[in-house]
Amino acid sequence: MFESSLKQLGDALRAKRISSVELTQSYLDRITRLNPQLNAYITLNPEMSLAQARAADARIAAGKAEALTGIPFAQKDIFCAQGWLTTCGSKMLHNFASPYDAHVISQFNSAGAVNLGKTNMDEFAMGSSNETSYYGTVKNPWDTTRVPGGSSGGTAAAVAARLCAAATGTDTGGSIRQPAALCGISGLKPTYGVVSRYGMIAFASSLDQAGPMGRSAEDLALMMNVMAGFDERDSTSLQREKEDYARDLSKPLNGLRIGLPKEFFAAGMGADVAKAVEAAIAEYKKLGATIVDISLPNSKLSVPVYYVLAPAEASSNLSRFDGVRYGYRAPEYSDLADMYEKSRAQGFGAEVKRRIMIGTYVLSHGYYDAYYLQAQKIRRLIAQDFTEAYKQCDVIMGPTSPSTAFKLGEKGDDPVQMYLSDIYTIAVNLAGLPGMSIPCGFGDNDMPVGLQIIGNYFDEARMLNVAHQYQLATDWHSRAPQGL
Ligand code: GLN
């Protein structure tokens, strides 16, 4: 049952071969057994989960089930969920019980899905290893001495360890794709604006995008059908016709043009990662695809550009955490200014403070033109590179991460090394494009390798088709960590 796809689970529930309460209880038992060693979940609330499961069973009995009704999912702790603690991985929000649901959460709720719990994450989604979480690091289920990636590392570990059927993540610079790669699962960051950001705690608003993380492209398609759609409460939500993301899954890939950016296959990528990615490209050729050499000349600037723009937006977004309205307040202070200072000094961790300082600096008078404005201009050039590339190809492929999962603590003292682990993912966010990662083999140390598939705007259905056809021909996505 823990290996079943969302479709199989939905069929079993609707045929009443299993009830949602039984399914939810089995997952909760598995979480009780395995979470202490993995730390994938921050908050569990079995009573609330089982109440949702009972409601789902009633809905199924009434013949009103939808595709995901009764299936247990996990939600990244960045999404506000009514009645649930929503911490965003921070001490600042350690006591924040959300009074309302994020759009993504209400979409899952109206589909009748069950929320198993809130998953661990880097503090305010800033990180690539989950080591910045106030709630402790998450362990990679393939090797618990290694990181799961970040910032959606709790979600990635929970999916890989079969502690939920599938789960949500968010991706500002790679936080769905990189942990998906490091934990051997599939993840999709949609086109910016496709999934509403309402109720998703903001990191860098022009880059943040929620998306599904699961064990297969087919599962991701079913989740996209629930998550995507216009929401007037998010001013960047796009008004588009509702689409069925599973509609093209079974299309053959004959004639598909895959662009390989020369910049992604240059120095920097580990030899073991290169080997797995090249084998995946060879498999695509067998499936009928043709290869086109392309160039994304400005992509090398994406890490520096991102580390100006994302902190700038974060410094503004995080100003709301002042100890007054919600969250942590320092127990002792002398006056109002002192209360702000102490609450923020004690409530935020080191990485968050670093970002706030960088962001405040690049936005300050005298530096704005030199850094922020310049970075915005290069952002446009990075996006234009993709527009040019898509004149020659249908999808772009490359590695998701330069290496497989690294050891816990390995990059802790060196933020720049940590930032470079997103070298292949960040340009996609800067351009607002959809990107995904699917498992494509194992590297040295037997850790999973991710293949990145980047699509043109709104091409999610095609990307899911491209991923699904590969998953029909290979079995990397169905491998599970042993010994759990
Ligand atoms: N690792 C990147 C960062 O630290 C991206 C994080 C994300 O996508 N949320 O900002």
Side-chain angles (χ1 to χ4, degrees):
M1 173 187 67
F2 295 121
E3 302 304 321
S4 305
S5 69
L6 296 186
K7 183 167 183 314
Q8 288 166 333
L9 288 177
D11 289 345
L13 285 159
R14 285 185 298 273
K16 307 200 182 62
R17 288 197 297 276
I18 189 165
S19 71
S20 177
V21 167
E22 287 165 333
L23 190 58
T24 302
Q25 191 59 56
S26 323
Y27 272 110
L28 289 171
D29 292 346
R30 191 170 163 84
I31 293 168
T32 306
R33 186 164 66 79
L34 293 173
N35 197 53
Q37 73 194 79
L38 297 173
N39 200 25
Y41 284 90
I42 292 176
T43 301
L44 294 160
N45 189 331
E47 263 173 46
M48 279 172 73
S49 304
L50 289 165
Q52 280 190 311
R54 282 192 294 274
D57 283 333
R59 182 163 164 181
I60 293 165
K64 294 198 177 122
E66 294 175 22
L68 303 188
T69 304
I71 302 180
F73 291 86
Q75 302 289 350
K76 184 175 181 179
D77 206 18
I78 198 167
F79 294 104
C80 289
Q82 195 172 6
W84 289 81
L85 218 49
T86 298
T87 71
C88 219
S90 183
K91 179 179 179 184
M92 186 54 97
L93 290 175
H94 74 287
N95 58 357
F96 176 65
S98 175
Y100 72 106
D101 283 327
H103 182 74
V104 164
I105 299 287
S106 55
Q107 291 294 99
F108 274 97
N109 287 346
S110 32
V114 172
N115 183 2
L116 279 174
K118 307 292 290 293
T119 55
N120 206 341
M121 54 180 286
D122 279 301
E123 186 177 6
F124 286 104
M126 299 174 188
S128 307
S129 67
N130 246 271
E131 292 167 300
T132 74
S133 170
Y134 174 65
Y135 300 91
T137 59
V138 177
K139 314 281 166 53
N140 191 312
W142 294 88
D143 175 351
T144 51
T145 67
R146 293 177 185 275
V147 304
S151 64
S152 312
T155 284
V159 172
R162 279 62 175 157
L163 300 185
C164 56
T168 53
T170 63
D171 191 313
T172 303
S175 281
I176 288 177
R177 291 159 287 157
Q178 187 256 14
L182 271 45
C183 287
I185 65 161
S186 305
L188 168 68
K189 180 205 95 75
T191 307
Y192 183 80
V194 161
V195 176
S196 166
R197 291 182 296 108
Y198 178 78
M200 186 176 117
I201 296 172
F203 163 10
S205 311
S206 78
L207 300 159
D208 296 343
Q209 186 63 195
M213 299 173 75
R215 295 200 309 270
S216 69
E218 186 198 49
D219 285 1
L220 302 184
L222 297 184
M223 292 170 77
M224 277 299 287
N225 284 348
V226 166
M227 295 174 75
F230 176 66
D231 172 23
E232 62 183 11
R233 298 169 300 183
D234 170 3
S235 62
T236 59
S237 171
L238 293 164
Q239 211 153 3
R240 305 182 68 246
E241 248 175 60
K242 196 95 188 133
E243 49 178 299
D244 174 10
Y245 289 92
R247 66 182 186 271
D248 290 336
L249 286 180
S250 55
K251 275 196 183 166
L253 298 186
N254 294 335
L256 177 80
R257 297 169 305 162
I258 299 176
L260 300 182
K262 67 168 191 255
E263 294 79 6
F264 282 23
F265 290 86
M269 177 172 28
D272 54 343
V273 173
K275 209 169 138 203
V277 169
E278 276 154 21
I281 308 287
E283 184 65 42
Y284 272 106
K285 283 196 213 160
K286 276 202 243 159
L287 292 170
T290 54
I291 303 302
V292 188
D293 290 321
I294 58 162
S295 174
L296 300 169
N298 293 295
S299 63
K300 60 178 181 295
L301 298 172
S302 57
V303 171
V305 165
Y306 173 88
Y307 280 98
V308 170
L309 297 180
E313 294 187 27
S315 71
S316 166
N317 274 325
L318 270 58
S319 65
R320 74 192 63 175
F321 302 106
D322 56 5
V324 175
R325 283 163 285 195
Y326 30 59
Y328 181 80
R329 179 183 296 183
E332 283 168 32
Y333 46 86
S334 54
D335 56 20
L336 182 64
D338 192 45
M339 194 272 281
Y340 289 152
E341 275 174 35
K342 291 215 167 85
S343 299
R344 287 168 67 83
Q346 295 164 18
F348 289 137
E351 184 60 29
V352 173
K353 287 179 192 159
R354 181 181 295 130
R355 306 278 178 115
I356 292 173
M357 283 193 284
I358 297 171
T360 310
Y361 179 80
V362 300
L363 289 175
S364 57
H365 184 71
Y367 293 105
Y368 179 91
D369 287 353
Y371 295 110
Y372 184 78
L373 203 61
Q374 201 65 12
Q376 289 287 31
K377 290 177 183 166
I378 302 170
R379 179 179 190 172
R380 168 57 66 91
L381 296 177
I382 290 169
Q384 274 170 1
D385 283 354
F386 283 103
T387 307
E388 280 307 307
Y390 284 121
K391 290 178 183 160
Q392 303 168 60
C393 62
D394 304 310
V395 291
I396 294 173
M397 285 188 192
T400 305
S401 165
S403 73
T404 57
F406 42 93
K407 290 268 187 189
L408 290 160
E410 190 180 317
K411 300 191 186 190
D413 317 330
D414 190 346
V416 174
Q417 273 311 310
M418 191 71 89
Y419 298 168
L420 286 172
S421 47
D422 295 316
I423 181 113
Y424 303 123
T425 50
I426 281 179
V428 172
N429 301 75
L430 290 168
L433 289 165
M436 68 188 295
S437 181
I438 56 171
C440 71
F442 292 86
D444 302 343
N445 309 317
D446 297 327
M447 296 305 286
V449 175
L451 173 75
Q452 187 174 200
I453 304 171
I454 304 170
N456 207 342
Y457 298 105
F458 308 115
D459 232 358
E460 287 85 355
R462 190 205 310 246
M463 295 158 68
L464 289 161
N465 160 237
V466 167
H468 180 66
Q469 291 301 311
Y470 177 79
Q471 293 183 335
L472 288 178
T474 59
D475 74 343
W476 302 116
H477 65 291
S478 48
R479 307 282 183 96
Q482 296 302 302
L484 290 176

